[in-house]
Each structure stands twice: as C-alpha cells, then as structure tokens.
C-alpha cells in the first residue's frame, strides 16, 4: 500500500487533481527554490513599501520644472490671476513604523499664478505654485490679463510652467 502511495505522489497526474502532500512538494527541489524565491521577493517588496524614504514634494516639483524648462515648447499665454494663500498650520503625517513624510514648507504664504494658453485650438487653464521663485518675478508688475510665455510638454500639453529656476515667461 505504501509503495502505491509513493508512486502516486511521484506521478505527474497529481497536479491535475490538485491533491499533493508536503512530502511530494519537497521532493521537487526546483519548485521549492521557486516558491522560496517568490516569498523572499514578496517580503522585500513589502519591506521597501514600509521603509522607503519619504518623498519631498518640493524636490519633485523642482525636477518637473527643470524637465519642462529643458524640453518645453513655448506658447503664448495670459495671466489670469495671482493668488496668495496664507500660511497653514503645519501638520505632521506619520507613516507606519514612525517615518514621516516631509510636507511643503507651510510657514510662509504660498503664491499661485493662474494662467491660460491655447495649443492647436485647445485651451488650457492651470496654475503654478511659484513659492520660492520670487527672485524671478516682480509681484508689483504682475497683473491679471498680462501676456506671458508658457513652456509646455509636447507629449502632454496640459503639463506646463510659467516660471522656472532660471527662466521666466512673465514679462
């Protein structure tokens, strides 16, 4: 009886019926290696999800501006309005296991320039946070309706800037 059970577990037909013992699974070292590797990869992905460094939103925005400044095509636009948001109370968001994401610097007022532009007959209306780029702009000369140059991504025309670290479309 035992010999027939062993022959049955070593048969490839056991996979068709879905019945398999631990002894039969451990007999195939390639399968054990694949399952072990998959388990280690899954644990590594979970650990990375919990312990990865916090993303700085200002750094992400700076990289976006630099990218658009390098590859962007210039179009004519118009300033719609300048909005100044008062400083908000700083919140700290804790992540799992004590890490916290850095939030935007909320101790100073946020400046948003709202502008519109048209590309191939499609009108876009968007805004850019220009906090930290005050050296590129003269606020006393910035008025609604003022013409401006806009740099946009040709692959995604809704992605645009009106001011970058070393370029300004405001006149």
């Amino acid at each position: 009886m035992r010999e027939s059970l062993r022959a049955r577990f070593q048969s490839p037909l056991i996979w068709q019926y879905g019945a398999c013992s631990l002894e039969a699974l451990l007999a195939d070292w390639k399968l054990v290696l694949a399952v072990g590797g998959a388990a280690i990869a899954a644990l590594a992905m979970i650990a990375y999800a919990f312990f990865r460094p916090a993303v700085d939103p200002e750094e992400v925005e700076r990289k976006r501006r630099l990218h658009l400044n390098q590859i962007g095509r210039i179009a004519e636009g118009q300033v719609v309005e300048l909005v100044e948001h008062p400083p908000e109370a700083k919140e700290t968001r804790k992540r799992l296991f004590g890490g916290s994401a850095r939030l935007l610097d909320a101790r100073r007022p946020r400046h948003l320039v709202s502008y519109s532009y048209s590309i191939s007959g499609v009108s876009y209306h968007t805004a850019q946070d220009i906090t930290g780029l005050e050296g590129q702009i003269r606020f006393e000369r910035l008025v609604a309706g003022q013409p401006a140059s806009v740099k946009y991504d040709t692959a995604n025309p809704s992605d645009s800037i009106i001011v970058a670290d070393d370029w300004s479309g405001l006149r």
Side-chain angles (χ1 to χ4, degrees):
M1 180 84 163
R2 249 182 177 190
E3 290 179 27
S4 66
L5 283 175
R6 283 189 183 162
R8 185 172 153 210
F9 284 121
Q10 292 176 356
S11 168
L13 295 176
I14 61 171
W15 301 109
Q16 291 179 353
Y17 300 110
C20 189
S21 71
L22 184 61
E23 179 182 332
L25 286 175
L26 294 177
D28 188 9
W29 66 271
K30 292 177 185 176
L31 179 64
V32 172
L33 186 65
V35 170
I40 289 171
L43 287 174
M45 287 189 290
I46 291 170
Y48 176 75
F50 285 120
F51 297 116
R52 68 179 169 210
V55 177
D56 183 12
E58 289 188 7
E59 182 64 21
V60 172
E61 175 62 16
R62 188 185 68 77
K63 286 181 181 179
R64 184 187 77 86
R65 284 192 314 260
L66 288 174
H67 175 71
L68 281 173
N69 193 21
Q70 289 176 353
I71 63 134
R73 183 173 288 175
I74 297 177
E76 289 303 310
Q78 177 176 332
V79 174
V80 175
E81 67 178 330
L82 174 66
V83 180
E84 182 176 323
H85 290 284
E88 298 174 359
K90 189 165 181 136
E91 298 177 18
T92 56
R93 293 185 303 180
K94 290 286 187 178
R95 293 178 55 202
L96 196 57
F97 300 113
S100 63
R102 285 180 45 189
L103 298 176
L104 293 171
D105 187 12
R107 292 172 286 193
R108 58 184 173 175
R110 311 297 299 174
H111 298 282
L112 293 175
V113 175
S114 178
Y115 57 96
S116 62
Y117 57 100
S118 294
I119 299 167
S120 300
V122 179
S123 295
Y124 297 93
H125 183 89
T126 188
Q128 180 181 352
D129 185 356
I130 57 170
T131 307
L133 299 171
E134 287 87 358
Q136 298 287 340
I137 303 162
R138 294 186 200 158
F139 286 109
E140 64 275 359
R141 292 182 52 194
L142 187 61
V143 294
Q146 173 181 349
S149 297
V150 177
K151 279 195 178 181
Y152 68 95
D153 186 356
T154 56
N156 181 12
S158 63
D159 190 10
S160 64
I161 57 172
I162 199 165
V163 178
D165 296 332
D166 57 349
W167 176 82
S168 176
L170 299 172
R171 301 177 189 137

